[in-house]
Amino acid sequence: MPTIDILLPGFAIDTDQGYPAFCGVFLVRGPDAAGRPRTLLVDAAHVGRRPFLWDALAVHGLTADDIDTVVLTHAHWDHVQNIDLFPHATLVLHPDERRYAHTPHANDWATPAWTGLLLEQLPVREAADGEELIPGVSVIALPGHSPGSIGVVVETEAGRATITGDALHFAYVARTRRNPLVFWDADAAARSIDRVLAVSDLVYPGHDRPFRLTANGGIDYLESFALTLTGLRPDTEGLAFADGSARPLWVMPGVEEQRALYAKNADDIERRISRVPRVVGPARQGAGPGSG
């Protein structure tokens, strides 16, 4: 059966000076229909985690060249920036996400204008709801947080696990049933949360530890929390901690314009995709912090 390993854990951390935005990065391995071993990466994190991603691959005896497929749950900056590390991989994402990334809304701070250019640096495979990637591993459509958010459903020995991306950021969202950060459609985002919980024995959120729901609706985490902060002491003057266990719902201003703009830009999007030059080559692995 296919397996899931956590390469980089996701964290539910914000600050009053910006978002660290540490998404989970997952390794999914299993045989394809012909019995050949396949190695999939789900999400790629941002460049601040690049040396840590190299190290995590090495722990599993892998390099970037061993990754066959990079699946993007969605195209926000904190999930996509390291895809250039995998120039030999095929990039899998939903067609709506690919097209939106070429003409994002002006208020969409999570999808910079260059996102579409970055996506086209790898061979792209568009994948819709229910599509099988390898036996026991399939795509589930989870729109709302973004237009083409998807999850990856993995039939593991421990049960059916869903890697959700930001369709379900944090474990507490399984109780509130509301996505706290919406760039496309809040109602669709809520339906996607319901769908995840309906099909999953185990949930691997975008920015939290994997968990399962108990019989009474409680959160049973499957991994321990571990994080070290450097450059600060617990008694540093001005350092404060705030409870972030229930973030307020934020919906992007102008979200009601999204569908009309997406349809209006359809022809221009296809032209943009066809004209993007590919400039990414094999990445140099192993340069650590301070290398530039």
Side-chain angles (χ1 to χ4, degrees):
M1 300 186 77
T3 61
I4 303 175
D5 290 296
I6 301 172
L7 284 182
L8 297 178
F11 290 99
I13 299 173
D14 293 336
T15 80
D16 62 355
Q17 299 299 314
Y19 302 118
F22 293 150
C23 77
V25 178
F26 305 97
L27 189 69
V28 177
R29 288 182 282 191
D32 65 13
R36 297 168 297 193
R38 294 299 181 194
T39 305
L40 290 70
L41 190 80
V42 182
D43 286 334
H46 61 65
V47 294
R49 305 191 84 184
R50 183 168 293 211
F52 301 92
L53 181 53
W54 276 326
D55 290 346
L57 287 168
V59 166
H60 290 273
L62 301 171
T63 70
D65 289 346
D66 295 312
I67 302 300
D68 306 309
T69 304
V70 176
V71 183
L72 290 182
T73 60
H74 61 300
H76 286 171
W77 69 278
D78 51 322
H79 293 251
V80 308
Q81 285 186 351
N82 286 323
I83 65 171
D84 65 300
L85 295 180
F86 308 99
H88 306 299
T90 297
L91 185 68
V92 173
L93 74 164
H94 194 280
D96 287 344
E97 196 74 2
R98 182 187 190 185
R99 283 157 180 76
Y100 175 80
H102 283 269
T103 56
H105 193 283
N107 294 336
D108 187 344
W109 52 263
T111 312
W114 44 257
T115 304
L117 301 178
L118 178 61
L119 297 181
E120 303 305 325
Q121 298 308 304
L122 300 184
V124 175
R125 171 184 170 184
E126 297 181 354
D129 187 51
E131 187 164 337
E132 184 179 82
L133 301 178
I134 58 174
V137 179
S138 60
V139 169
I140 181 172
L142 301 172
H145 173 69
S146 70
S149 283
I150 59 174
V152 178
V153 179
V154 184
E155 304 290 347
T156 73
E157 290 186 353
R160 178 177 292 168
T162 303
I163 302 170
T164 69
D166 291 357
L168 198 156
H169 293 74
F170 318 113
Y172 79 79
V173 172
R175 291 198 292 253
T176 66
R177 303 295 179 105
R178 300 298 294 179
N179 192 303
L181 193 61
V182 173
F183 295 88
W184 183 254
D185 186 315
D187 291 335
R191 291 192 295 271
S192 290
I193 294 166
D194 290 341
R195 190 178 188 199
V196 167
L197 299 176
V199 304
S200 307
D201 300 310
L202 314 170
V203 179
Y204 287 71
H207 293 267
D208 205 349
R209 291 171 284 159
F211 69 93
R212 69 172 79 239
L213 286 180
T214 64
N216 63 0
I219 303 298
D220 179 18
Y221 279 113
L222 308 179
E223 300 282 341
S224 299
F225 182 88
L227 178 69
T228 300
L229 298 178
T230 57
L232 291 171
R233 293 175 53 87
D235 59 352
T236 298
E237 184 177 358
L239 179 65
F241 294 88
D243 182 9
S245 60
R247 292 163 172 80
L249 175 66
W250 183 88
V251 178
M252 186 191 77
V255 72
E256 67 281 353
E257 306 166 351
Q258 288 280 50
R259 294 182 185 278
L261 287 173
Y262 182 83
K264 179 181 178 182
N265 291 329
D267 291 341
D268 183 52
I269 290 169
E270 296 300 331
R271 285 194 294 271
R272 288 180 183 227
I273 290 174
S274 67
R275 295 174 181 174
V276 173
R278 187 175 178 189
V279 297
V280 168
R284 181 169 61 91
Q285 182 165 334
S291 60

